[in-house]
Amino acid sequence: MRRAFKYRLFTNANQERELGIMLETHRRLYNSCLDQRKAAYEADATTLKYSQQSAWFKQERASNPFYARLHFSSAQATMRRLDKAYANFFRRVKAGSQKPGFPRFKGRDRFDSIEFPAYRDGIRLTDNRLYVQRVGTIRVKLHRPVQGTIKTATLKREASKWFVVFSCELPDVV
């Protein structure tokens, strides 16, 4: 069974700035991948897949300093997020029962989380400190203990405050 645990982060000015830059870069990555998919379909009716965009991102990291600062696994999670939005769109089109809702470009107020799909890969919790790659060590208010095994971590901004959400694997309740 999976369970989420959400904790408040207390950042200093530098960490706040770095997290803001990281979030903005992920948003721009999402929007540029969406733009590529739309342009490819409009130009010659082909659909770009996640694997093609991941290969593009790997090459783009060499020339774009902002993309080079992103953790690769979290960038892949952002591209998978778009891939999932496309899959859900086509599922709704095929079902015909719901309004499909094509994936949208995300504005600054519509993109508020960064996922780290594997715990200890760019992010880890030690006591009441959270280490985030290229951001540093951030204080965490652990108001309750984390139960089970942490599988994923998501950094989330809500009302100009930062939180971390751990998705944990717990034993099944019988």
Side-chain angles (χ1 to χ4, degrees):
M1 172 175 76
R2 284 278 178 122
R3 187 162 179 203
F5 295 90
K6 183 176 175 180
Y7 301 102
R8 171 82 193 277
L9 299 177
F10 293 95
T11 58
N12 62 31
N14 290 336
Q15 293 165 342
E16 186 78 30
R17 184 187 71 246
E18 289 299 321
L19 286 172
I21 291 170
M22 184 186 295
L23 183 64
E24 177 64 15
T25 306
H26 276 273
R27 184 184 73 84
R28 289 179 186 223
L29 173 64
Y30 182 95
N31 286 341
S32 66
C33 288
L34 177 57
D35 187 46
Q36 288 175 9
R37 284 184 180 222
K38 284 182 75 172
Y41 188 78
E42 289 169 359
D44 47 314
T46 58
T47 303
L48 287 179
K49 298 199 178 343
Y50 162 76
S51 57
Q52 295 168 311
Q53 290 191 314
S54 183
W56 164 83
F57 177 72
K58 195 171 185 178
Q59 293 173 347
E60 191 68 21
R61 284 182 71 153
S63 61
N64 188 329
F66 288 100
Y67 286 168
R69 290 183 53 96
L70 291 182
H71 188 267
F72 197 76
S73 295
S74 67
Q76 286 179 319
T78 299
M79 290 183 281
R80 281 194 180 100
R81 184 176 175 177
L82 175 64
D83 199 49
K84 193 176 190 180
Y86 259 84
N88 289 336
F89 166 71
F90 287 118
R91 177 185 50 79
R92 288 188 300 266
V93 166
K94 189 175 181 180
S97 60
Q98 300 173 332
K99 186 175 177 187
F102 189 78
R104 298 181 190 182
F105 290 100
K106 302 294 183 186
R108 288 177 193 234
D109 59 337
R110 294 279 186 184
F111 197 91
D112 60 1
S113 64
I114 304 165
E115 182 185 354
F116 288 82
Y119 181 68
R120 294 198 174 275
D121 186 18
I123 194 167
R124 76 177 163 275
L125 181 68
T126 308
D127 297 326
N128 64 340
R129 305 278 181 193
L130 181 73
Y131 171 77
V132 180
Q133 184 178 4
R134 293 200 174 87
V135 174
T137 305
I138 305 170
R139 287 186 314 125
V140 179
K141 176 66 175 171
L142 290 173
H143 59 278
R144 61 182 170 164
V146 178
Q147 299 171 0
T149 307
I150 300 173
K151 294 296 186 180
T152 67
T154 303
L155 298 174
K156 188 168 179 67
R157 185 177 63 192
E158 290 179 5
S160 73
K161 295 178 180 137
W162 285 92
F163 297 87
V164 63
V165 181
F166 295 114
S167 176
C168 300
E169 186 71 38
L170 294 171
D172 289 334
V173 178
V174 180

